[in-house]
Amino acid sequence: LEADAAELRRKNDALTAARREAEARVARFQAEADEQIDGIDAVEADRMEEVPKIQMQIALYAKVVGIKWDYDESVGGMLKGEVAVPSKGVCRQFEIDSNEHDEFDVANELWSLMEGKQPALTC
């Protein structure tokens, strides 16, 4: 009977040690997860600070180049809108299929519109 009790104590001690080890691992993993969450929160906070700056830059670029995008009509890869050239008092409407042209060609097409190399409408 004492041998059985000793065996049960040994198993109990082994299980207690395994439980403590598991609890230590849980605490360690929780600490690692907390560090990762803190890092993610820091990145998100940095991005939230950048958003107003980016919005102002985009607004500035739009004002400088005079492109007004027609977001309602720009679907399925079609880019639609108009380019205003206040110094010439004209607007150039455009419709470019970005599925058929790469980014370089789209940019060149828009620059051509802004430089007056395309037909214009009076604003």
Side-chain angles (χ1 to χ4, degrees), residues 1-15:
L1 191 61
E2 273 193 41
D4 290 340
E7 179 65 22
L8 287 174
R9 278 193 285 276
R10 185 185 63 73
K11 287 182 180 180
N12 186 37
D13 291 345
L15 288 173

Side-chain angles (χ1 to χ4, degrees), residues 35-104:
E35 286 178 22
Q36 290 180 356
I37 289 171
D38 289 344
I40 290 169
D41 288 345
V43 168
E44 186 175 338
D46 289 345
R47 287 190 180 204
M48 292 305 289
E49 288 178 12
E50 290 179 11
V51 167
K53 293 176 190 174
I54 292 170
Q55 286 175 333
M56 287 189 331
Q57 285 178 336
I58 290 171
L60 177 63
Y61 294 148
K63 195 72 159 170
V64 169
V65 298
I67 296 176
K68 294 181 183 176
W69 297 99
D70 187 351
Y71 296 108
D72 295 332
E73 296 294 323
S74 296
V75 292
M78 289 301 282
L79 304 173
K80 294 183 181 183
E82 62 182 37
V83 176
V85 184
S87 62
K88 295 183 179 180
V90 295
C91 292
R92 292 179 178 85
Q93 293 181 339
F94 64 89
E95 185 175 315
I96 303 169
D97 188 350
S98 64
N99 295 320
E100 294 181 12
H101 304 286
D102 62 15
E103 292 175 359
F104 181 78

